[in-house]
Amino acid sequence: MSAPSPAPRDLPVARRSGDPTLGLIRRVLLVCLGAGAVAIASVAVARWDDPLLRVVSPVLLAVVIAFGWVLLRRPRTTIPVARLVLSAFDVLWLGVLASRLGAGSGGWDALFPTTFMGLALFVVIGFLVYPTRFAVLHAGVLVVATPAVGLAALAVGPDDGRRGAHGVDLLRYAMYLAVLAAMVWVLSRTKEHATRAFLVAEHASAEAASMREMAYRDALTGAANRRRLEEELAYQARVVGSGLDVALVYLDLDRFKLVNDTLGHAVGDRVLVAVAHTLEQQVRSGDLVARLGGEEFVVVAPGMGPGDAREMAERLRGLLPGAVQRAADVHVTASLGVTALRPGEEPSAAIARVDELMYRAKRAGRDRVASDDTAVGTAVGAAPDTADVQPAPRSRGQDMGSSDRRHPATDHR
């Protein structure tokens, strides 16, 4: 089990930016659509003799079902489609209001409950799908249009003796809509303030995570740095034991100084990046790869026993030359030390122990693995103290610069 990392390597930052209430809006709309579908179907069945309902109800049900599909399968289009559907319902409901009141006797009673409840619901939904300013405008249009359309329909329709009373009720209903809109506006403003606070906090959290990532990562290779390594070792030293092994693999590139001296630091940097990338690819997801400094890397492998750790080290030793060759066109070998972390051991002591094992591999001829309980391995085809770093063979015509680049001076690392 690895210590909690200060920041994930692939931090999702901008991906989650946006209105955090969008999911809630979708759920609210789905509930409204479900309730609306039930209401439409119930009213249509109960009043199937109404010609207007026979025409309008199937269309409304189709729109509701289609909108529900959009919410479930195309969530990114929720807001624009919701605005379009809401505008269409506004016009339809006002048309039904005008039709009912213009029909004369019985028209007023037919507006209950669907028409009046629908207009009030549209005011509320407007604050869900529009910015507050446009939601207020939308509510204002409904507050003004409802009595205007109703009074105009009453004026042109037959007089049933209750025209004046219906006109007063329409004005009263418009006031109710205005009060409802004002209450929802207060809630909407609160939501916007909460949304802005959420986004500010998210941005600050992302910046803090980025700063932590910079503090715990090696800038060149992207591997963990020494600070992160020491924190991991301190954590693992507290939990190691009781059947849990923690393996340490210390890797040092052989004669790496010659790469910088003969081929330049740019090539050396490419070599280090290739080494770090290879280590990250070959270790397990819970292992930590850290650059200790220069050409030295350490792998911390929780839950790995000595035998498996040595096998991993041998695998890394065999893979690194080819990986570096492909990435930087340089042949480089590595010497590795392998040990197990001890309970309560200080990070510096653990690093010193595995560092000494790595130097044992160096003294045995380089390109080898040395561990606590086994003899130093022998690299295939290797001889003690031979040059382990040299530029890759070049084709005829490639300028190698000074002639001694193919045969650099011996370096004791």
Side-chain angles (χ1 to χ4, degrees):
M1 180 177 63
S2 180
S5 177
R9 194 171 181 84
D10 297 316
L11 184 70
V13 179
R15 187 175 65 226
R16 290 196 301 267
S17 297
D19 190 346
T21 62
L22 182 58
L24 177 61
I25 290 174
R26 289 177 57 228
R27 290 191 291 272
V28 170
L29 290 176
L30 283 170
V31 171
C32 292
L33 289 177
V38 173
I40 292 170
S42 301
V43 172
V45 171
R47 299 167 60 180
W48 190 248
D49 57 336
D50 189 324
L52 183 60
L53 285 178
R54 284 202 300 270
V55 174
V56 172
S57 296
V59 176
L60 288 178
L61 279 175
V63 172
V64 167
I65 293 172
F67 188 27
W69 180 88
V70 169
L71 292 177
L72 292 173
R73 304 305 297 259
R74 298 290 186 270
R76 291 186 179 181
T77 64
T78 293
I79 297 302
V81 174
R83 292 172 180 173
L84 179 64
V85 172
L86 181 60
S87 299
F89 277 13
D90 288 341
V91 173
L92 178 61
W93 251 246
L94 290 174
V96 170
L97 177 69
S99 175
R100 295 297 193 191
L101 293 180
S105 179
W108 178 264
D109 294 334
L111 296 174
F112 293 93
T114 307
T115 305
F116 285 131
M117 286 182 60
L119 290 171
L121 182 62
F122 298 159
V123 168
V124 175
I125 292 177
F127 282 91
L128 291 176
V129 300
Y130 288 116
T132 301
R133 183 178 302 177
F134 289 99
V136 170
L137 178 62
H138 170 259
V141 169
L142 287 181
V143 169
V144 173
T146 299
V149 170
L151 291 174
L154 288 172
V156 299
D159 186 2
D160 59 356
R162 301 169 60 190
R163 179 182 295 173
H166 293 332
V168 172
D169 288 337
L170 280 173
L171 294 175
R172 188 179 299 162
Y173 176 72
M175 293 179 60
Y176 293 156
L177 287 181
V179 171
L180 176 63
M183 295 174 63
V184 179
W185 173 79
V186 173
L187 295 176
S188 180
R189 293 291 295 172
T190 303
K191 182 210 78 170
E192 288 191 345
H193 286 306
T195 299
R196 281 196 293 268
F198 176 89
L199 295 177
V200 169
E202 185 182 55
H203 181 69
S205 176
E207 287 190 344
S210 178
M211 295 295 291
R212 288 196 300 271
E213 180 78 1
M214 293 172 61
Y216 283 92
R217 290 288 174 185
D218 176 61
L220 174 63
T221 64
N225 58 17
R226 184 175 189 126
R227 177 182 178 184
R228 175 74 180 91
L229 171 64
E230 291 180 346
E231 289 191 5
E232 180 75 10
L233 290 175
Y235 171 80
Q236 295 296 347
R238 293 195 299 269
V239 301
V240 71
S242 302
L244 174 66
D245 295 318
V246 177
L248 302 182
V249 177
Y250 192 117
L251 180 149
D252 185 278
L253 299 181
D254 297 323
R255 294 192 171 96
F256 180 72
K257 183 176 183 298
L258 296 180
V259 176
N260 287 329
D261 291 346
T262 61
L263 301 179
H265 289 278
V267 175
D269 287 348
R270 291 205 301 272
V271 170
L272 294 175
V273 171
V275 171
H277 182 66
T278 302
L279 295 179
E280 293 277 7
Q281 284 187 322
Q282 294 301 319
V283 302
R284 303 168 306 175
S285 60
D287 298 341
L288 178 73
V289 175
R291 184 187 177 199
L292 191 58
E295 67 274 24
E296 300 164 324
F297 294 83
V298 176
V299 177
V300 183
M304 181 176 289
D308 291 337
R310 185 178 178 88
E311 288 181 9
M312 179 179 72
E314 289 287 2
R315 185 176 72 254
L316 294 175
R317 184 193 64 78
L319 289 173
L320 276 175
V324 174
Q325 183 82 50
R326 290 188 294 272
D329 198 23
V330 177
H331 179 70
V332 175
T333 61
S335 299
L336 298 91
V338 180
T339 190
L341 185 65
R342 297 168 181 170
E345 188 173 22
E346 291 293 325
S348 58
I351 292 173
R353 284 197 304 107
V354 73
D355 180 53
E356 177 57 34
L357 290 169
M358 180 274 298
Y359 271 104
R360 186 194 300 176
K362 293 274 190 186
R363 291 190 293 269
R366 301 183 177 88
D367 192 15
R368 286 164 168 77
V369 175
S371 59
D372 285 312
D373 52 356
T374 59
V376 179
T378 302
V380 177
D385 244 0
T386 58
D388 296 297
V389 178
Q390 61 181 359
R394 303 295 181 111
S395 61
R396 184 179 298 275
Q398 285 184 291
D399 184 12
M400 289 295 295
S402 59
S403 60
D404 63 347
R405 286 191 177 185
R406 288 186 180 273
H407 305 284
T410 301
D411 181 81
H412 295 291
R413 289 291 305 273

